[in-house]
Amino acid sequence: TRTPVNVTVTGAAGQIGYALLFRIASGHLLGADVPVKLRLLEIPQGLKAAEGTAMELDDCAFPLLKGIDIFDDPNQAFEGANVALLVGARPRTKGMERGDLLSANGGIFKPQGKAINDHAADDIKVLVVGNPANTNALIAQAAAPDVPAERFTAMTRLDHNRAISQLAKKTGADVTDIKRLTIWGNHSATQYPDVFHAEIAGKNAAEVIGDQAWLADEFIPTVAKRGAAIIEARGASSAASAANAAIDHVHTWVNGTAEGDWTSMGIPSDGSYGVPAGLISSFPVTCKDGKYEIVQGLDVNEFSRARIDASVAELIEERDAVRELGLI
Ligand code: NAX
């Protein structure tokens, strides 16, 4: 029998946590044959609710779930972690300046990065979901100098999945017919969903759509502002779809991308496509044997270049701001 994989989830009592934990425990994160142990991290006010969720997890009698431990100390929560999902973050509240937001999140992600550095397993893989996800990932990574930098990733898979769904709706294709879509840049309103290399049932997506105005005026803003549209409709931010994307991100990272396809992940840039090295930016990636690689050699047209550059400029500003604050 396999040794259980330790999965640490922060913000476990939040709404994404509630949608996420049951799917991890039922085998969707790593595979239907991989036993897991959950290590939940919350702030003290969240512990009671996390205990309630743990009771419900017990009540599912999931065959793969081999234990649940709950902590309010990151050093304990990340002990032996093989996978860490950093979901808990400080949301922007009314009147909060960007600097305040970044420093509040620095207060969360810097100690968590240090705890990962000091306590996680050697094969630790980190996904940051909590916003601003790319820059929070950068803060955690900077605090973990002994962990290979490429183990810190940020989630743009929800944007990726949203873009696939919008393309399927527009063209009448099945979501499974859409391949090689790319989200570039920051997980924010500046992100760039790129269809120029995407395929719909084997044909170039941009040619199938044939309407650059739809891309610029409908598709890109719909994908980029989907989070706000969900809040408007549900009265709460995306939770189950965000949890689903986190599951997809880690599952793909661990188990690989399909032949001929790729996915989107926020990862430390190696300088590819003119994105300054070290920034955590979204790229097209293939995954194999638990490692990812940036898809190389794509031709970036003018339309795409301007939009990638704008999102990367925002990431540079965020990086400079957290540098200024001494967080990296
Ligand atoms: P909730 O407010 O429901 O839950 C957050 C939980 O985190 C709370 O239970 C809180 O007590 C806990 N928490 C806060 N600080 C913590 C700390 N230092 N250690 C451990 N736990 C801590 O938010 P939820 O809707 O679950 O969203 C979580 C984060 O995901 C937010 O930052 C949100 O902006 C972000 N999102 C990111 C997305 C992405 O695509 N990257 C999409 C969905 C979501 O908006």
Side-chain angles (χ1 to χ4, degrees), residues 197-282:
H197 305 283
E199 287 177 359
I200 302 179
K203 297 201 185 76
N204 180 271
E207 283 165 25
V208 173
I209 295 157
D211 179 359
Q212 196 137 317
W214 180 79
L215 284 183
D217 303 337
E218 298 282 336
F219 173 71
I220 296 171
T222 299
V223 174
K225 294 181 193 157
R226 186 71 167 177
I230 300 283
I231 294 174
E232 178 63 30
R234 271 185 95 222
S237 58
S238 322
S241 56
N244 177 69
I247 295 276
D248 283 352
H249 176 114
V250 173
H251 190 275
T252 303
W253 188 359
V254 171
N255 294 297
T257 39
E259 192 60 45
D261 200 2
W262 66 63
T263 190
S264 306
M265 290 170 66
I267 57 168
S269 176
D270 61 359
S272 293
Y273 297 103
V275 181
L279 279 187
I280 297 196
S281 188
S282 188

Side-chain angles (χ1 to χ4, degrees), residues 10-17 41-43 46 87-89 108 112 128-131 133 155 158-159 187 237-238 242:
T10 78
Q15 50 152 8
I16 295 176
L41 179 65
E42 259 296 343
I43 51 176
V87 179
I108 296 173
Q112 289 184 2
V128 177
V129 174
N131 283 319
M155 190 166 94
L158 179 54
D159 309 302
H187 167 68
S237 58
S238 322

Side-chain angles (χ1 to χ4, degrees), residues 167-323:
L167 280 184
K169 271 214 171 75
K170 167 77 174 171
T171 61
D174 193 89
V175 287
T176 57
D177 287 334
I178 299 174
K179 312 258 189 260
R180 302 187 173 205
L181 185 114
T182 306
I183 303 292
W184 298 92
N186 200 2
H187 167 68
S188 76
T190 68
Q191 65 172 272
Y192 172 49
D194 177 358
V195 305
F196 289 99
H197 305 283
E199 287 177 359
I200 302 179
K203 297 201 185 76
N204 180 271
E207 283 165 25
V208 173
I209 295 157
D211 179 359
Q212 196 137 317
W214 180 79
L215 284 183
D217 303 337
E218 298 282 336
F219 173 71
I220 296 171
T222 299
V223 174
K225 294 181 193 157
R226 186 71 167 177
I230 300 283
I231 294 174
E232 178 63 30
R234 271 185 95 222
S237 58
S238 322
S241 56
N244 177 69
I247 295 276
D248 283 352
H249 176 114
V250 173
H251 190 275
T252 303
W253 188 359
V254 171
N255 294 297
T257 39
E259 192 60 45
D261 200 2
W262 66 63
T263 190
S264 306
M265 290 170 66
I267 57 168
S269 176
D270 61 359
S272 293
Y273 297 103
V275 181
L279 279 187
I280 297 196
S281 188
S282 188
F283 285 97
V285 299
T286 54
C287 300
K288 203 186 170 192
D289 301 328
K291 297 202 165 89
Y292 59 78
E293 258 179 51
I294 296 175
V295 176
Q296 294 296 341
L298 300 177
D299 180 42
V300 176
N301 65 20
E302 238 171 87
F303 183 95
S304 297
R305 188 74 261 169
R307 286 167 174 82
I308 295 171
D309 288 350
S311 195
V312 167
E314 182 184 51
L315 284 171
I316 293 171
E317 277 179 31
E318 289 182 17
R319 179 201 59 196
D320 292 348
V322 295
R323 197 176 267 165

